Structure formats: structure tokens, C-alpha cells
Amino acid sequence: MLRPFYITTAIDYANGSPHLGHAYEKVLTDVISRHLRMSGRQVHFLTGLDEHGQKVQQTALKRDLEPQVLVDEVAAVFQRMLVDLDISHDDYIRTTEPRHQKVVQQFLQKLFDQGLIYKGQKTDWYSTRQEQFLTERDRSPDGSWPEIYGEVTQTTEENYYFKLSQFQPWLIEHLRAHPDFITPRFRQNQVLEFLKDPLNDLCISRPKTRLTWGIALPFDDAYVTYVWFDALTNYYSAVAAKGLWPADVHVIGKDILSPPHAVYWPCMLKALGLEPPRQLLVHGWWTVNNQKASKSAGNAADTLGFVASHGADAFRYYLCREMVVGQDADFSKTTFENRYKADLGNNLGNLVNRLLNMVGRNYAGAIPAAAADEELERNLRQLWQDTVRKYDAAFAEYQLSHALESLWVFISAMNAYIEARAPWKLAKSTDLADRARLDSCLAHVAEGLRLVGTILTPVMPATCGRLLTHIGRPVPAGFEGQLVWSAACTGSKVAENCILFPQIGVPGETPAG
Ligand code: MSP
């Protein structure tokens, strides 16, 4: 048997509230996970919270709380978001959990015993905001420190270092031998470019005089370990007891690709004698009205309001449809509302209602069998075959927006098919051939909707469940045998009507679709 597909998101920092960037990454990973599960693959989906570090310590101090109390509070808020977004993760790891701390300490001890961690002294530039030492090459061309680093100060400190540089040749070799290690591929090229300069060893400790909120070094209690060493290890510690390593995919944003995920993590694992993850799937940034969505910009939390107003499924659809994985995308009220009205309400929702109305009116609510088979029907069935092929191919590359784009071509074609058939006219005809066409038209639309509702379940689980139930079909557990054109809907009893995407925010108007 194939081992479970092990997929993770980054673990979110516990120093703020959830926002669009966090939400997107969970949705993307969730849709991939659900799609794989329905394709028959067992999946283990991990997400979690990154709870240590200076910023958490500072916030706790400011609010006069124990850091643990603070992170418990934050964890509840982040986990609430997962429920609101209908995320189907199998495990949630918090870096303050004993199962995690134990593994971090084992890793540190092992590297120390192997002589791969040494103590050294350095005077360096340090960014408090990023909790990271900087080098000259982090400066902007004009010599200043880029905005993202916040205040940068010089400090001299004794610390422990991991011999990262020793693994550089191996890493370059590994990237060359696995051109798909980082996807999309242009990101891998960027990392190779970065590796043209020699790597510095990685400082992996902070003296407790400066930071207490962390995992103590097992060989020197005066220090805690650096957040990245701690955080990255979550992917392993969460499954250490389950034997699921290596991960198949780490889903991350572009800001934490290099060096953390593309350099530190594979080198840490190599040094520990463990396999690197199979792949890093790197998404771009969401901007909100063309500004980076972030806690500090304060623009990104509001976007989560659309989950409450329009439902998790509409939000999930929008995120998957609007962002080309790997590129940046912009979130705006206008594009959201347009997609909600056009793609969901008009194109899909109205089609469902048209079907229910006509089956109700002309066939006492039972979907007829296809009787006539003309060019229009053959074309629609052919288009479905092409659509499944494209959809699968796009999904295999995690290009969800392309998959949805092709699915909506099919949905539009169904609308065009209804227009061309004009069943409302056929229903008035006394000609037997017209009656046969009417049977076929409703049978084809029902079947098309069954197929759409099935393939789209990973993106909009609750909505597709309702769609299928309303056309009298059970919700399938998997895709097997369910994505081929069939007569499965014949005789199914449909509901009277079904509002999948109610009109929102315009008082006084009746809902449609
Ligand atoms: N704690 C680290 C990750 C450790 S993983 C071992 C961290 N946390 S974060 O909260 O800042 O970000 C979590 C994830 O959300 C990252 O993958 C990050 O790229 C993503 N996003 C945060 N803001 C984002 C956008 N505006 N747009 C899309 N995703 C972005 O980094």
C-alpha cells in the first residue's frame, strides 16, 4: 500500500491574529488534500502554530501575561479560523507541546555530539523584527536596511552555530538532481542563484539574558534555540511517532523559502541523517487593494469578514480561482463580489435552479432519461471529457486556478446548451421529437451538474454536498467511477428549489441563484 501523502502548511507566528495570507495557505493545502483523498490517496495534513520567540515574549510582557497563556489564547483564535474555513487537517502542532520540544532537543544534541554545532563569538547586525542576524548583502543598494527588518542594531554575542556551510555542496547537488524540489521552478533557480555565494554558518541560539521564551539547548542551559531551528523541526516532530517522514509537500509563502525552507531545513535534515522533504510548493503574496496583506498594514484581517458574509465555500473558491499558484494576487471587494455574482450565482447557482424548476414543472420532480442524442449533446459530453483531463492535469501541478478556469468553461457551455435547446419552448411543443429533446436536455444538465458537484467538492465541500443532494444524488466519498458521463441521475427526485449563493448585502432584493 502507498504510504499516506504527507502535506504541511507553514506554522503561523503566534504574535498576531490570523489574516488572509494565513487563510489562503490553509485553503490551498486543504483543497489539495481533499482532492487527493477523493482520488483515493490517504493523506496526512499537518498545520500548526509557531509559538516561541522574542515577539511573543514582548507581547506577553506588555500585556502582563505568561507567554504560555498568551499563546494558548492565540492558538484558540487560529484554530477557530480553521473551523470557519472548513479545513480538514489531520493534526495541529504547537511548538510549545512536549512532543515537539523533545524532538528539537534530540536534534540539537545529536548535531552537537557530531561536532556540527560549535560555540562562537560574533559582532553582527541584528533585526529584532525578523529575529535574524543580517549580513552586508542584506542591505539595500543605497546602504540602508530594507524596511522589512525594522530597527537594525549591532550586537556582540557568544552563541552556538550550526555548520551550515559544510552542507552547501550537497545542497547544490541535491537541487540540481531534483529540478522539481521547489515548485514553481523559477523559485528553484533563484535559490541556486543565492547559493552561488558561500553560506555562513547558522547561529542557532539566543542567550537567555535576551530571550527566555524558547526551547533550552540540551547542552547549555544558558541558551534557548533560535526560532527557525525550532519552527522547521515541527514538520518532523509532529510525525516522528507515526513514521511518516519525509513530507511530500511543504506549502509555504515566497517570503520563507530562502534561506529557511530551501537552505536551513534540507541541510539540518542532511546533517541529522534524515531525508529532505520531497517538494516545496511556494505561493506568492496576497495584496489587498495592491498593498501586501499583513498584520502591520492592518488591511488583511478584514478580508476574513467575507467568510462570515458570503460563506466559507465562496471564499475558498475565490482564493483558489483568483491566485495563480506561485504569483501574487490582489484581493478586492469588487473582484470578490464579481466572482460571487457571476461565477457562482449566475453561472452555477442559476443553472441548478433552472434545472430544478423545469424538472419539477414537467416531470413531477424526477429527472428524465436522455432520449434524443444530437450534436449538441455529443459536444457537451465531449467537452466534459476534455474538461476532466485539463482539470486533472492542472491539479497535478497544483494549478488550482487553471483547473477552475477550465471547469467554468464547461459550466458556461452548459448554460449555452440550455439557451440553444430552449427547454421552455420544447415543453410547449406537442411534437414527440421535441419531447425527446426536452428529456435529453434536462438529463444532460442534471448529469453535467452531478459531475461538476463531484469534482468541485474539494473546493466547496458544503455547497457541493447541497448541490448533489438537491438533484437527488448521494455525495460520493471519492472520484472513483464518479467522473465519467453516465445515466446516474435518471429517476432521481430533485428538490423544489435551491439557493446555493444568496444575494448578499442588497436589502429588499429577492435572492437569486
Ligand atoms: N512562523 C513562520 C513559518 C515557520 S514554518 C516552519 C512564519 N509565520 S507567518 O505567520 O508569518 O506566515 C505563515 C505563512 O503565511 C507563510 O507561509 C507566509 O508566507 C504566509 N503569508 C503571510 N502573509 C502572506 C500574504 N500576504 N500572502 C500570502 N501568504 C503570506 O513565517
mmCIF file of all heavy atoms in Angstrom, residues 9-15 19-22 24-26 50 78 228 231-235 251-256 261 283-287 292-294 300 323, ligand 1:
data_model
loop_
_atom_site.group_PDB
_atom_site.id
_atom_site.type_symbol
_atom_site.label_atom_id
_atom_site.label_comp_id
_atom_site.label_asym_id
_atom_site.label_seq_id
_atom_site.Cartn_x
_atom_site.Cartn_y
_atom_site.Cartn_z
ATOM 1 N N THR A 9 1.369 22.879 5.981
ATOM 2 C CA THR A 9 1.470 24.324 5.741
ATOM 3 C C THR A 9 2.626 24.822 6.600
ATOM 4 O O THR A 9 3.137 24.078 7.432
ATOM 5 C CB THR A 9 0.212 25.080 6.201
ATOM 6 O OG1 THR A 9 0.141 24.988 7.635
ATOM 7 C CG2 THR A 9 -1.051 24.513 5.598
ATOM 8 N N ALA A 10 2.993 26.072 6.424
ATOM 9 C CA ALA A 10 3.901 26.695 7.389
ATOM 10 C C ALA A 10 3.140 26.790 8.710
ATOM 11 O O ALA A 10 1.913 26.753 8.721
ATOM 12 C CB ALA A 10 4.296 28.081 6.912
ATOM 13 N N ILE A 11 3.865 26.892 9.813
ATOM 14 C CA ILE A 11 3.148 27.126 11.070
ATOM 15 C C ILE A 11 3.161 28.632 11.316
ATOM 16 O O ILE A 11 4.183 29.293 11.207
ATOM 17 C CB ILE A 11 3.734 26.305 12.247
ATOM 18 C CG1 ILE A 11 5.244 26.474 12.369
ATOM 19 C CG2 ILE A 11 3.373 24.836 12.084
ATOM 20 C CD1 ILE A 11 5.828 25.821 13.625
ATOM 21 N N ASP A 12 1.995 29.157 11.632
ATOM 22 C CA ASP A 12 1.834 30.614 11.732
ATOM 23 C C ASP A 12 2.481 31.164 13.001
ATOM 24 O O ASP A 12 2.487 30.509 14.035
ATOM 25 C CB ASP A 12 0.350 30.967 11.745
ATOM 26 C CG ASP A 12 -0.355 30.467 10.505
ATOM 27 O OD1 ASP A 12 0.256 30.518 9.419
ATOM 28 O OD2 ASP A 12 -1.511 30.018 10.620
ATOM 29 N N TYR A 13 2.981 32.372 12.910
ATOM 30 C CA TYR A 13 3.516 33.034 14.095
ATOM 31 C C TYR A 13 2.391 33.341 15.066
ATOM 32 O O TYR A 13 1.349 33.870 14.656
ATOM 33 C CB TYR A 13 4.181 34.362 13.720
ATOM 34 C CG TYR A 13 5.573 34.229 13.206
ATOM 35 C CD1 TYR A 13 5.985 34.910 12.071
ATOM 36 C CD2 TYR A 13 6.507 33.433 13.873
ATOM 37 C CE1 TYR A 13 7.277 34.807 11.593
ATOM 38 C CE2 TYR A 13 7.812 33.318 13.395
ATOM 39 C CZ TYR A 13 8.181 34.001 12.264
ATOM 40 O OH TYR A 13 9.450 33.893 11.798
ATOM 41 N N ALA A 14 2.675 33.098 16.341
ATOM 42 C CA ALA A 14 1.646 33.343 17.360
ATOM 43 C C ALA A 14 1.674 34.790 17.839
ATOM 44 O O ALA A 14 1.186 35.090 18.915
ATOM 45 C CB ALA A 14 1.853 32.390 18.530
ATOM 46 N N ASN A 15 2.268 35.671 17.061
ATOM 47 C CA ASN A 15 2.372 37.055 17.555
ATOM 48 C C ASN A 15 1.385 38.003 16.906
ATOM 49 O O ASN A 15 1.587 39.199 16.868
ATOM 50 C CB ASN A 15 3.793 37.577 17.371
ATOM 51 C CG ASN A 15 4.114 37.739 15.922
ATOM 52 O OD1 ASN A 15 3.698 36.931 15.119
ATOM 53 N ND2 ASN A 15 4.822 38.790 15.563
ATOM 54 N N HIS A 19 -4.811 36.264 9.300
ATOM 55 C CA HIS A 19 -5.243 37.130 8.202
ATOM 56 C C HIS A 19 -5.265 36.356 6.897
ATOM 57 O O HIS A 19 -5.013 35.142 6.875
ATOM 58 C CB HIS A 19 -4.382 38.398 8.130
ATOM 59 C CG HIS A 19 -2.943 38.151 7.810
ATOM 60 N ND1 HIS A 19 -2.522 37.587 6.635
ATOM 61 C CD2 HIS A 19 -1.821 38.381 8.522
ATOM 62 C CE1 HIS A 19 -1.211 37.499 6.615
ATOM 63 N NE2 HIS A 19 -0.747 37.968 7.767
ATOM 64 N N LEU A 20 -5.539 37.080 5.840
ATOM 65 C CA LEU A 20 -5.714 36.482 4.518
ATOM 66 C C LEU A 20 -4.581 35.538 4.111
ATOM 67 O O LEU A 20 -4.830 34.465 3.564
ATOM 68 C CB LEU A 20 -5.846 37.624 3.495
ATOM 69 C CG LEU A 20 -6.017 37.242 2.045
ATOM 70 C CD1 LEU A 20 -7.260 36.401 1.838
ATOM 71 C CD2 LEU A 20 -6.085 38.509 1.188
ATOM 72 N N GLY A 21 -3.315 35.944 4.348
ATOM 73 C CA GLY A 21 -2.181 35.100 3.955
ATOM 74 C C GLY A 21 -2.248 33.744 4.644
ATOM 75 O O GLY A 21 -2.059 32.699 4.010
ATOM 76 N N HIS A 22 -2.534 33.766 5.936
ATOM 77 C CA HIS A 22 -2.657 32.508 6.679
ATOM 78 C C HIS A 22 -3.821 31.684 6.140
ATOM 79 O O HIS A 22 -3.719 30.482 5.952
ATOM 80 C CB HIS A 22 -2.919 32.784 8.166
ATOM 81 C CG HIS A 22 -1.859 33.622 8.824
ATOM 82 N ND1 HIS A 22 -2.154 34.738 9.575
ATOM 83 C CD2 HIS A 22 -0.517 33.515 8.835
ATOM 84 C CE1 HIS A 22 -1.037 35.273 10.025
ATOM 85 N NE2 HIS A 22 -0.023 34.556 9.585
ATOM 86 N N TYR A 24 -5.283 31.759 3.208
ATOM 87 C CA TYR A 24 -5.055 31.233 1.860
ATOM 88 C C TYR A 24 -4.250 29.942 1.889
ATOM 89 O O TYR A 24 -4.598 28.957 1.226
ATOM 90 C CB TYR A 24 -4.329 32.266 0.998
ATOM 91 C CG TYR A 24 -3.894 31.662 -0.323
ATOM 92 C CD1 TYR A 24 -4.843 31.325 -1.282
ATOM 93 C CD2 TYR A 24 -2.559 31.377 -0.592
ATOM 94 C CE1 TYR A 24 -4.473 30.737 -2.483
ATOM 95 C CE2 TYR A 24 -2.178 30.780 -1.787
ATOM 96 C CZ TYR A 24 -3.137 30.468 -2.732
ATOM 97 O OH TYR A 24 -2.771 29.872 -3.902
ATOM 98 N N GLU A 25 -3.169 29.977 2.653
ATOM 99 C CA GLU A 25 -2.281 28.800 2.674
ATOM 100 C C GLU A 25 -3.017 27.560 3.181
ATOM 101 O O GLU A 25 -2.805 26.454 2.681
ATOM 102 C CB GLU A 25 -1.074 29.113 3.554
ATOM 103 C CG GLU A 25 0.050 28.140 3.385
ATOM 104 C CD GLU A 25 1.302 28.673 4.058
ATOM 105 O OE1 GLU A 25 1.890 29.636 3.543
ATOM 106 O OE2 GLU A 25 1.678 28.135 5.107
ATOM 107 N N LYS A 26 -3.898 27.767 4.162
ATOM 108 C CA LYS A 26 -4.665 26.634 4.693
ATOM 109 C C LYS A 26 -5.648 26.140 3.639
ATOM 110 O O LYS A 26 -5.835 24.941 3.466
ATOM 111 C CB LYS A 26 -5.450 27.035 5.944
ATOM 112 C CG LYS A 26 -4.662 27.727 7.040
ATOM 113 C CD LYS A 26 -3.494 26.914 7.521
ATOM 114 C CE LYS A 26 -2.698 27.655 8.567
ATOM 115 N NZ LYS A 26 -2.026 28.867 8.025
ATOM 116 N N ASP A 50 3.530 28.547 15.506
ATOM 117 C CA ASP A 50 4.938 28.788 15.840
ATOM 118 C C ASP A 50 4.935 29.728 17.050
ATOM 119 O O ASP A 50 4.673 30.915 16.912
ATOM 120 C CB ASP A 50 5.564 29.449 14.605
ATOM 121 C CG ASP A 50 7.055 29.633 14.697
ATOM 122 O OD1 ASP A 50 7.638 29.321 15.756
ATOM 123 O OD2 ASP A 50 7.636 30.093 13.696
ATOM 124 N N PHE A 78 -6.524 31.058 16.088
ATOM 125 C CA PHE A 78 -6.094 30.459 14.820
ATOM 126 C C PHE A 78 -6.879 29.172 14.527
ATOM 127 O O PHE A 78 -7.230 28.896 13.378
ATOM 128 C CB PHE A 78 -4.586 30.184 14.827
ATOM 129 C CG PHE A 78 -3.777 31.363 14.360
ATOM 130 C CD1 PHE A 78 -3.366 32.343 15.261
ATOM 131 C CD2 PHE A 78 -3.436 31.522 13.021
ATOM 132 C CE1 PHE A 78 -2.634 33.442 14.837
ATOM 133 C CE2 PHE A 78 -2.697 32.616 12.586
ATOM 134 C CZ PHE A 78 -2.294 33.578 13.496
ATOM 135 N N TRP A 228 13.923 29.666 14.032
ATOM 136 C CA TRP A 228 13.811 28.868 12.806
ATOM 137 C C TRP A 228 14.186 27.415 13.032
ATOM 138 O O TRP A 228 13.577 26.504 12.470
ATOM 139 C CB TRP A 228 14.644 29.463 11.664
ATOM 140 C CG TRP A 228 13.853 30.482 10.903
ATOM 141 C CD1 TRP A 228 14.082 31.817 10.856
ATOM 142 C CD2 TRP A 228 12.676 30.247 10.111
ATOM 143 N NE1 TRP A 228 13.119 32.436 10.088
ATOM 144 C CE2 TRP A 228 12.254 31.493 9.623
ATOM 145 C CE3 TRP A 228 11.937 29.113 9.788
ATOM 146 C CZ2 TRP A 228 11.128 31.633 8.807
ATOM 147 C CZ3 TRP A 228 10.815 29.259 8.986
ATOM 148 C CH2 TRP A 228 10.420 30.506 8.498
ATOM 149 N N ALA A 231 11.136 26.093 14.748
ATOM 150 C CA ALA A 231 9.927 26.045 13.919
ATOM 151 C C ALA A 231 9.996 24.971 12.829
ATOM 152 O O ALA A 231 9.055 24.196 12.645
ATOM 153 C CB ALA A 231 9.681 27.408 13.292
ATOM 154 N N LEU A 232 11.102 24.917 12.107
ATOM 155 C CA LEU A 232 11.197 23.976 10.989
ATOM 156 C C LEU A 232 11.037 22.534 11.466
ATOM 157 O O LEU A 232 10.469 21.693 10.766
ATOM 158 C CB LEU A 232 12.543 24.153 10.268
ATOM 159 C CG LEU A 232 12.662 25.441 9.446
ATOM 160 C CD1 LEU A 232 14.128 25.752 9.137
ATOM 161 C CD2 LEU A 232 11.857 25.319 8.144
ATOM 162 N N THR A 233 11.549 22.290 12.663
ATOM 163 C CA THR A 233 11.513 20.924 13.189
ATOM 164 C C THR A 233 10.084 20.403 13.388
ATOM 165 O O THR A 233 9.867 19.203 13.469
ATOM 166 C CB THR A 233 12.338 20.881 14.500
ATOM 167 O OG1 THR A 233 13.659 21.311 14.186
ATOM 168 C CG2 THR A 233 12.403 19.495 15.104
ATOM 169 N N ASN A 234 9.088 21.307 13.414
ATOM 170 C CA ASN A 234 7.698 20.854 13.626
ATOM 171 C C ASN A 234 7.261 19.797 12.618
ATOM 172 O O ASN A 234 6.512 18.890 12.934
ATOM 173 C CB ASN A 234 6.726 22.045 13.579
ATOM 174 C CG ASN A 234 6.180 22.306 12.179
ATOM 175 O OD1 ASN A 234 5.207 21.713 11.744
ATOM 176 N ND2 ASN A 234 6.838 23.188 11.439
ATOM 177 N N TYR A 235 7.751 19.961 11.374
ATOM 178 C CA TYR A 235 7.327 19.051 10.315
ATOM 179 C C TYR A 235 7.725 17.608 10.628
ATOM 180 O O TYR A 235 7.069 16.671 10.203
ATOM 181 C CB TYR A 235 7.965 19.448 8.975
ATOM 182 C CG TYR A 235 7.671 20.859 8.511
ATOM 183 C CD1 TYR A 235 8.707 21.692 8.070
ATOM 184 C CD2 TYR A 235 6.369 21.353 8.472
ATOM 185 C CE1 TYR A 235 8.455 22.971 7.602
ATOM 186 C CE2 TYR A 235 6.107 22.631 8.007
ATOM 187 C CZ TYR A 235 7.150 23.437 7.567
ATOM 188 O OH TYR A 235 6.894 24.692 7.099
ATOM 189 N N VAL A 251 3.823 23.372 1.942
ATOM 190 C CA VAL A 251 3.233 24.532 1.268
ATOM 191 C C VAL A 251 3.636 25.781 2.056
ATOM 192 O O VAL A 251 3.352 25.884 3.251
ATOM 193 C CB VAL A 251 1.696 24.413 1.211
ATOM 194 C CG1 VAL A 251 1.094 25.630 0.512
ATOM 195 C CG2 VAL A 251 1.279 23.124 0.508
ATOM 196 N N ILE A 252 4.310 26.698 1.389
ATOM 197 C CA ILE A 252 4.832 27.898 2.076
ATOM 198 C C ILE A 252 4.707 29.121 1.169
ATOM 199 O O ILE A 252 4.553 29.003 -0.043
ATOM 200 C CB ILE A 252 6.320 27.734 2.456
ATOM 201 C CG1 ILE A 252 7.157 27.389 1.219
ATOM 202 C CG2 ILE A 252 6.503 26.695 3.552
ATOM 203 C CD1 ILE A 252 8.652 27.477 1.416
ATOM 204 N N GLY A 253 4.830 30.294 1.780
ATOM 205 C CA GLY A 253 4.854 31.526 1.003
ATOM 206 C C GLY A 253 6.276 31.867 0.580
ATOM 207 O O GLY A 253 7.249 31.390 1.168
ATOM 208 N N LYS A 254 6.386 32.723 -0.421
ATOM 209 C CA LYS A 254 7.698 33.017 -1.008
ATOM 210 C C LYS A 254 8.654 33.676 -0.016
ATOM 211 O O LYS A 254 9.872 33.561 -0.147
ATOM 212 C CB LYS A 254 7.527 33.882 -2.260
ATOM 213 C CG LYS A 254 6.943 35.274 -1.983
ATOM 214 C CD LYS A 254 6.823 36.067 -3.284
ATOM 215 C CE LYS A 254 6.318 37.475 -3.000
ATOM 216 N NZ LYS A 254 6.150 38.282 -4.215
ATOM 217 N N ASP A 255 8.115 34.360 0.991
ATOM 218 C CA ASP A 255 8.986 35.072 1.936
ATOM 219 C C ASP A 255 9.776 34.129 2.835
ATOM 220 O O ASP A 255 10.778 34.539 3.410
ATOM 221 C CB ASP A 255 8.157 36.038 2.803
ATOM 222 C CG ASP A 255 6.949 35.379 3.460
ATOM 223 O OD1 ASP A 255 6.339 34.496 2.815
ATOM 224 O OD2 ASP A 255 6.629 35.724 4.602
ATOM 225 N N ILE A 256 9.319 32.880 2.976
ATOM 226 C CA ILE A 256 10.054 31.983 3.872
ATOM 227 C C ILE A 256 10.703 30.822 3.121
ATOM 228 O O ILE A 256 11.065 29.810 3.701
ATOM 229 C CB ILE A 256 9.154 31.465 5.022
ATOM 230 C CG1 ILE A 256 7.919 30.753 4.487
ATOM 231 C CG2 ILE A 256 8.720 32.626 5.925
ATOM 232 C CD1 ILE A 256 7.125 30.037 5.593
ATOM 233 N N HIS A 261 13.414 27.479 4.327
ATOM 234 C CA HIS A 261 12.966 26.160 3.851
ATOM 235 C C HIS A 261 13.864 25.554 2.779
ATOM 236 O O HIS A 261 13.959 24.338 2.671
ATOM 237 C CB HIS A 261 11.531 26.246 3.323
ATOM 238 C CG HIS A 261 10.515 26.303 4.409
ATOM 239 N ND1 HIS A 261 10.204 27.471 5.062
ATOM 240 C CD2 HIS A 261 9.753 25.335 4.986
ATOM 241 C CE1 HIS A 261 9.282 27.217 5.992
ATOM 242 N NE2 HIS A 261 9.000 25.937 5.962
ATOM 243 N N HIS A 283 3.852 29.585 -2.778
ATOM 244 C CA HIS A 283 2.852 30.517 -3.320
ATOM 245 C C HIS A 283 3.323 31.956 -3.128
ATOM 246 O O HIS A 283 4.220 32.232 -2.331
ATOM 247 C CB HIS A 283 1.483 30.294 -2.676
ATOM 248 C CG HIS A 283 1.471 30.494 -1.187
ATOM 249 N ND1 HIS A 283 1.458 31.734 -0.610
ATOM 250 C CD2 HIS A 283 1.485 29.606 -0.167
ATOM 251 C CE1 HIS A 283 1.455 31.597 0.707
ATOM 252 N NE2 HIS A 283 1.482 30.313 0.999
ATOM 253 N N GLY A 284 2.673 32.847 -3.872
ATOM 254 C CA GLY A 284 3.044 34.260 -3.788
ATOM 255 C C GLY A 284 2.299 34.957 -2.672
ATOM 256 O O GLY A 284 1.727 34.318 -1.779
ATOM 257 N N TRP A 285 2.303 36.246 -2.732
ATOM 258 C CA TRP A 285 1.663 37.060 -1.697
ATOM 259 C C TRP A 285 0.328 37.593 -2.164
ATOM 260 O O TRP A 285 0.187 38.029 -3.298
ATOM 261 C CB TRP A 285 2.544 38.266 -1.363
ATOM 262 C CG TRP A 285 3.569 37.962 -0.345
ATOM 263 C CD1 TRP A 285 3.615 36.880 0.486
ATOM 264 C CD2 TRP A 285 4.712 38.759 -0.047
ATOM 265 N NE1 TRP A 285 4.724 36.960 1.291
ATOM 266 C CE2 TRP A 285 5.403 38.097 0.994
ATOM 267 C CE3 TRP A 285 5.206 39.960 -0.548
ATOM 268 C CZ2 TRP A 285 6.575 38.609 1.533
ATOM 269 C CZ3 TRP A 285 6.371 40.457 -0.008
ATOM 270 C CH2 TRP A 285 7.043 39.790 1.027
ATOM 271 N N TRP A 286 -0.589 37.644 -1.230
ATOM 272 C CA TRP A 286 -1.816 38.370 -1.464
ATOM 273 C C TRP A 286 -1.569 39.826 -1.115
ATOM 274 O O TRP A 286 -0.973 40.120 -0.084
ATOM 275 C CB TRP A 286 -2.936 37.852 -0.559
ATOM 276 C CG TRP A 286 -3.558 36.634 -1.098
ATOM 277 C CD1 TRP A 286 -3.243 35.348 -0.774
ATOM 278 C CD2 TRP A 286 -4.590 36.572 -2.073
ATOM 279 N NE1 TRP A 286 -4.019 34.488 -1.492
ATOM 280 C CE2 TRP A 286 -4.854 35.203 -2.288
ATOM 281 C CE3 TRP A 286 -5.323 37.522 -2.784
ATOM 282 C CZ2 TRP A 286 -5.831 34.772 -3.200
ATOM 283 C CZ3 TRP A 286 -6.280 37.088 -3.686
ATOM 284 C CH2 TRP A 286 -6.532 35.730 -3.896
ATOM 285 N N THR A 287 -2.045 40.658 -1.977
ATOM 286 C CA THR A 287 -2.103 42.066 -1.615
ATOM 287 C C THR A 287 -3.582 42.387 -1.441
ATOM 288 O O THR A 287 -4.441 41.654 -1.931
ATOM 289 C CB THR A 287 -1.513 42.959 -2.723
ATOM 290 O OG1 THR A 287 -2.158 42.632 -3.959
ATOM 291 C CG2 THR A 287 -0.023 42.735 -2.862
ATOM 292 N N LYS A 292 0.668 44.803 0.265
ATOM 293 C CA LYS A 292 0.874 43.481 0.865
ATOM 294 C C LYS A 292 -0.041 43.314 2.083
ATOM 295 O O LYS A 292 -0.116 44.177 2.931
ATOM 296 C CB LYS A 292 2.322 43.251 1.301
ATOM 297 C CG LYS A 292 2.464 41.848 1.897
ATOM 298 C CD LYS A 292 3.868 41.460 2.296
ATOM 299 C CE LYS A 292 3.901 40.011 2.759
ATOM 300 N NZ LYS A 292 3.579 39.754 4.138
ATOM 301 N N ALA A 293 -0.709 42.172 2.084
ATOM 302 C CA ALA A 293 -1.594 41.881 3.206
ATOM 303 C C ALA A 293 -0.741 41.504 4.401
ATOM 304 O O ALA A 293 0.063 40.594 4.338
ATOM 305 C CB ALA A 293 -2.512 40.720 2.831
ATOM 306 N N SER A 294 -0.867 42.210 5.468
ATOM 307 C CA SER A 294 -0.085 41.858 6.646
ATOM 308 C C SER A 294 -0.716 42.449 7.882
ATOM 309 O O SER A 294 -1.583 43.320 7.810
ATOM 310 C CB SER A 294 1.343 42.359 6.530
ATOM 311 O OG SER A 294 1.345 43.762 6.680
ATOM 312 N N ALA A 300 -5.491 43.175 6.214
ATOM 313 C CA ALA A 300 -5.742 41.809 5.768
ATOM 314 C C ALA A 300 -6.736 41.061 6.618
ATOM 315 O O ALA A 300 -7.334 40.087 6.181
ATOM 316 C CB ALA A 300 -4.431 41.034 5.729
ATOM 317 N N MET A 323 -5.881 33.361 -7.387
ATOM 318 C CA MET A 323 -4.418 33.357 -7.312
ATOM 319 C C MET A 323 -3.838 32.247 -8.175
ATOM 320 O O MET A 323 -4.169 31.082 -8.010
ATOM 321 C CB MET A 323 -3.941 33.173 -5.865
ATOM 322 C CG MET A 323 -2.415 33.150 -5.754
ATOM 323 S SD MET A 323 -1.805 33.147 -4.044
ATOM 324 C CE MET A 323 -1.442 34.890 -3.793
HETATM 325 N N1 MSP B 1 6.267 31.089 11.577
HETATM 326 C C1 MSP B 1 6.821 31.280 10.280
HETATM 327 C C2 MSP B 1 6.818 29.989 9.493
HETATM 328 C C3 MSP B 1 7.506 28.826 10.121
HETATM 329 S S1 MSP B 1 7.333 27.395 9.164
HETATM 330 C C4 MSP B 1 8.374 26.303 9.834
HETATM 331 C C5 MSP B 1 6.026 32.330 9.530
HETATM 332 N N2 MSP B 1 4.798 32.629 10.012
HETATM 333 S S2 MSP B 1 3.818 33.711 9.357
HETATM 334 O O1 MSP B 1 2.658 33.724 10.216
HETATM 335 O O2 MSP B 1 4.484 34.937 9.159
HETATM 336 O O3 MSP B 1 3.418 33.200 7.956
HETATM 337 C C6 MSP B 1 2.789 31.938 7.797
HETATM 338 C C7 MSP B 1 2.566 31.647 6.316
HETATM 339 O O4 MSP B 1 1.658 32.606 5.802
HETATM 340 C C8 MSP B 1 3.855 31.772 5.488
HETATM 341 O O5 MSP B 1 3.948 30.726 4.554
HETATM 342 C C9 MSP B 1 3.695 33.100 4.795
HETATM 343 O O6 MSP B 1 4.325 33.152 3.544
HETATM 344 C C10 MSP B 1 2.186 33.149 4.621
HETATM 345 N N3 MSP B 1 1.747 34.534 4.444
HETATM 346 C C11 MSP B 1 1.783 35.543 5.342
HETATM 347 N N4 MSP B 1 1.359 36.681 4.727
HETATM 348 C C12 MSP B 1 1.056 36.419 3.436
HETATM 349 C C13 MSP B 1 0.385 37.113 2.405
HETATM 350 N N5 MSP B 1 0.087 38.385 2.476
HETATM 351 N N6 MSP B 1 0.028 36.418 1.303
HETATM 352 C C14 MSP B 1 0.189 35.058 1.208
HETATM 353 N N7 MSP B 1 0.791 34.388 2.161
HETATM 354 C C15 MSP B 1 1.520 35.075 3.148
HETATM 355 O O7 MSP B 1 6.507 32.807 8.526
#
